[in-house]
Each structure stands twice: as structure tokens, then as C-alpha cells.
Amino acid sequence: MLSEEKNRRLTQVGPGTEMGDYLRRYWHPIAGESEFDDKTIRPIRILGEDLVLFKDLSGNYGLVDRQCPHRNADMSYGYVEQTGIRCSYHGWQFGADGQCLHQPYEQACDPTARMCKSTRIKAYRVQVKAGMLWAYMGPEPVPELPDWELFNFPNGFAQAVFAELPCNWFQCQENSIDPVHFEWTHNNWTIRQGGDTGPYVPSHLKLAFDEFEYGFTYRRLREGEDENNVMWTTGRVTLWPNGFYLGHHFEWRVPIDDHNTLSVLWVLSRVPTEQEPYRQEKIPSWYGPIRDPQTGRWITSHVANQDFVVWVGQGTITDRTREKLGQSDKGVVMMRRRFFEELDAMRENPQHVPKGTILDPELNKNVFLPSACRDEMLNGLPREALAEHPLLGPYLKDFFGQAGQPDDVRAAYEEAVGQKMQGAKLFVVHGSRK
């Protein structure tokens, strides 16, 4: 268990908090690029700050304070110009860097624009990568936005999926270093939801956790498996500070504030080699529902949705003074300890370089992460072999990652892989399918 004070250190993310200042040293995915196909401005809340994300008429993105510094009008009701965003109250215009560019009446009174030149709005950096918009809200030096190898694999269909969850980010991230939950939250629960009482999937027998430059790896061994199994030799990656990497997809848990989290799921589905060469022109993004509108209950049919239920069910900010940890929680303990070490180092030395940040552009090219299916994702498989693959094959049957995939995204994926989705029941045969 943790003390209340330690729990606060992990969970508070607003400006001026230890964890908030620490997480601001990293790039975070905050929206899908395709969201701006039909709009130019949207309000957004990240790390306890109310902001406005916009795309100006030149195609450049900006992330600025939601309140205009003139008289606090809501900038989410402003409008974009060729450069920057303009407040709809008195027309003050700001660039993506926060500098005021135009104050119409003030400059009519003072053509030297002294007030305009001295006026700035809070602004943060935005970059586009892998069909997502990423924000950096911290100080100099600005680290590189990681160019993870999977982002550059050819012949794949990618999609970015979002959901807003009413719970703290850290209990979501602890899930990323908890292998035993796969057995019960995904495999066996899906069996029970299908109306069967068994048999359950093979049980976990052995776990191992190791730290590396970009996070942790966890390895697991189940009944009937030996130590040559890829889940033991390679395993999964708990991506520092708030991600998860499974070889064919990423997950991020981005704090909206202390009580809400933006879940981001980025999936690359490898097309069969018969469909090569395939080049995706645009990566779609979409928001999935989290509750059944008929019953009001949480959706539990898809993998991410099953995770959402157990995260939110722990409480808005789970009370870690009441928990009783066991042998399966060794990874959780390791991750917490590492966060405390990082926060202590930042407290003692504000120039501390946070774990896993990349400062050298030359090192930020196709950055490798351990993967249990790297060769298959990079080189591809014929349709028949892909369909039989325990990790990748289920995606040829249905998109089981998260509920609510839009029809147009489904149709584009079916065209990419060259077949219709079957909607088959998943996860119940082999414990390593997610």
C-alpha cells in the first residue's frame, strides 16, 4: 500500500505539481489529425489546463490558452486566419507561438502596435505524427517526438482510437505492467460473456519484469508453455511514462486532469502479402463509446472496453492506502518505485533528464522497441498464415480493439486487407492474443 502523500505524488498532474511538471517533459498524443478534416478549432483539456487546439488556414497547428488575455473570452469560439487564431470578441489575433499578431482597435489608436508586441497568450508546441496530433507542454530543452519503428512499417492499415474516461491516469497505466489481468479481464471474462462457464484458458505460472531505456518489459509463462515461448523470450513493453506497446499497437493514458484520462489506442494491422504493395493515404481517427445507451452499463465486448471497466471501477482516484498487493504486482511496485526515483531526482535537480527522453535527432530514427511479432509486422505473412497467427490473425476477423468502429473506417480496412470482417468471437483460445 501507499501513503496518501505518495498517492498524491503519483496522481496529481496540474501545473506546479510534481507529476504534472514531470509529465510535461514528454510529448503526448492529444487528438487525431483527421478530426480537423471538417473543423478548424476544438477545445481540449490536458494536464489540468483548458486549451484550444486549432489548424489555421495555412495548415499549421497551434495549442493555446482557452481564455483570451484581453477580457477572457472563450477562444474555442474564435476563428482561424491564414496565420493563427483570432478571438471573436474584439478580434485579437495570436500565432501558434502565442505572440499577439493584431489588435485591430488598439492599433488604430497606436500604429506602433506597442501593446500588440508586448502581448502573448499561453501556447504549447504541436507536431503531427502517425495520424495524431502531439503536444509538448514543458520547458526547454524540447525532446524529440519519438519516431517509434512501428510508425514506419510498410503495408499496414493504421487507425487511432480515443475515449475519455472518468478516472485518474495512473491506475490506467498500472494496467500496462499487469500481465495476469489478461487471463481474467480478457480471456476468461469473454468466455463467461459468451455464456460458457469453462474451460478457462491456461493459468499464469511465472512472471518476470525488467527495466530498459524506454520503460519496462514484462514476460509471462502459462500452463502448457515452455521458456521458448515468445511471451517469455520477448514479452511486452510498458512504455515510459504513460504508454504500452504490444508489437502491433500502442496505448497511451494521457491525463486530462486528476480525475479524467484520455485513452489513446493506435493499431497497425498488417495486410496479407497478397495485398502488397499497400500504402495508406490517410490514417483515420475516431472516438469510441464507453457506455451502452440502452442500459447505461459499461460496454464490455471489446478489449479496451474491458480495461476501461476495471480502471474506472477502482474509483476516480483509487485509494492505494487500502490495497493489498500480491506476487502478481511486482511490476506495479517496480514502476511506482521508478516514478518516485524520477520525481525525487527532478526535485533535487531541475535539469534532470527524464527517463526515456530522446534529445539527439540522429538517435530518433526508427527507434526500436522489443516486439513479440516484429518480423511478421515488418516482412508480412500470406493471408492463410496471417489468419492463423495468434497475435495478428484475429484482426482479419474483426476489429476487437475497441467498440464503435465507424462504418467508413471498417470499409477502408476491409479494402486494405482484401476481405470482409467475420465478426468472430475472439480471445478465448490462447492467452496471448492481446
Side-chain angles (χ1 to χ4, degrees), residues 289-304:
I290 57 177
R291 291 183 182 271
D292 184 330
Q294 300 297 319
T295 65
R297 295 278 288 174
W298 286 77
I299 295 170
T300 60
S301 56
H302 290 61
V303 174

Side-chain angles (χ1 to χ4, degrees), residues 9 35 51 79 83 104 106 120 124 130 175 180 195 216 221 223 244 270 301 334-336 342 360 391 402 409-410 420:
R9 291 186 77 190
E35 292 183 52
L51 305 166
Y79 41 90
T83 300
E106 307 306 326
R120 298 186 66 88
Y124 296 117
N175 186 80
V180 174
F216 294 87
L221 202 61
E223 292 175 331
F244 190 26
R270 186 62 162 79
S301 56
M334 287 176 64
M335 187 176 72
R336 292 179 185 179
E342 285 286 288
D360 184 351
L391 302 177
Q402 190 167 321
V409 178
R410 186 183 187 89
K420 292 289 186 180

Side-chain angles (χ1 to χ4, degrees), residues 122-413:
K122 180 169 61 179
Y124 296 117
R125 294 172 176 82
V126 179
Q127 285 192 38
V128 180
K129 183 177 280 291
M132 296 177 289
L133 302 181
W134 300 70
Y136 179 77
M137 299 169 64
E140 302 279 351
V142 181
E144 295 292 306
L145 172 53
D147 183 40
W148 303 121
E149 184 182 50
L150 186 67
F151 289 157
N152 303 313
F153 280 2
N155 298 303
F157 182 93
Q159 54 191 300
V161 190
F162 299 84
E164 294 188 5
L165 308 175
C167 68
N168 184 265
W169 78 283
F170 200 76
Q171 60 214 57
C172 307
Q173 182 60 8
E174 287 179 320
N175 186 80
S176 303
I177 200 162
D178 178 6
V180 174
H181 93 275
F182 288 101
E183 180 182 339
W184 297 99
T185 303
H186 303 304
N187 303 137
N188 292 336
W189 197 11
T190 301
I191 290 172
R192 296 303 297 268
Q193 288 186 60
D196 297 322
T197 57
Y200 287 157
V201 297
S203 295
H204 284 76
L205 299 177
K206 189 176 181 181
L207 304 176
F209 304 90
D210 301 286
E211 186 169 2
F212 76 116
E213 183 177 7
Y214 299 117
F216 294 87
T217 59
Y218 72 67
R219 296 176 290 121
R220 68 187 189 208
L221 202 61
R222 290 190 173 193
E223 292 175 331
E225 298 175 346
D226 61 35
E227 294 189 359
N228 294 315
N229 188 284
V230 69
M231 287 298 127
W232 182 255
T233 59
T234 303
R236 306 291 202 195
V237 171
T238 302
L239 190 62
W240 195 266
N242 61 332
F244 190 26
Y245 176 62
L246 291 88
H248 55 296
H249 82 256
F250 288 97
E251 300 173 20
W252 290 275
R253 301 77 160 85
V254 182
I256 296 174
D257 52 33
D258 293 354
H259 304 104
N260 298 277
T261 299
L262 179 67
S263 168
V264 183
L265 170 67
W266 191 91
V267 182
L268 184 69
S269 300
R270 186 62 162 79
V271 304
T273 53
E274 292 88 341
Q275 296 295 112
E276 296 179 11
Y278 172 76
R279 184 176 184 275
Q280 187 176 17
E281 295 298 328
K282 192 173 184 63
I283 297 177
S285 61
W286 48 279
Y287 281 74
I290 57 177
R291 291 183 182 271
D292 184 330
Q294 300 297 319
T295 65
R297 295 278 288 174
W298 286 77
I299 295 170
T300 60
S301 56
H302 290 61
V303 174
N305 299 85
Q306 293 168 344
D307 286 327
F308 299 164
V309 170
V310 296
W311 301 346
V312 175
Q314 296 174 52
T316 305
I317 302 177
T318 193
D319 183 358
R320 292 178 176 83
T321 68
R322 301 177 63 241
E323 65 189 5
K324 189 172 184 178
L325 301 184
Q327 292 296 312
S328 68
D329 301 306
K330 287 183 178 179
V332 171
V333 173
M334 287 176 64
M335 187 176 72
R336 292 179 185 179
R337 183 180 297 122
R338 192 68 170 92
F339 267 111
F340 288 131
E341 291 171 355
E342 285 286 288
L343 296 180
D344 289 344
M346 190 72 72
R347 177 188 288 176
E348 295 168 6
N349 176 19
Q351 305 306 314
H352 170 71
V353 178
K355 177 180 171 61
T357 51
I358 303 171
L359 298 177
D360 184 351
E362 291 303 311
L363 298 178
N364 190 39
K365 297 175 181 178
N366 286 320
V367 181
F368 172 82
L369 293 172
S371 167
C373 53
R374 181 178 184 272
D375 290 344
E376 297 93 325
M377 288 295 296
L378 183 59
N379 301 315
L381 292 169
R383 186 180 306 278
E384 184 175 349
L386 182 60
E388 294 301 316
H389 194 277
L391 302 177
L392 308 179
Y395 281 99
L396 281 181
K397 300 174 183 176
D398 200 3
F399 183 75
F400 61 91
Q402 190 167 321
Q405 185 185 49
D407 291 341
D408 62 331
V409 178
R410 186 183 187 89
Y413 176 68

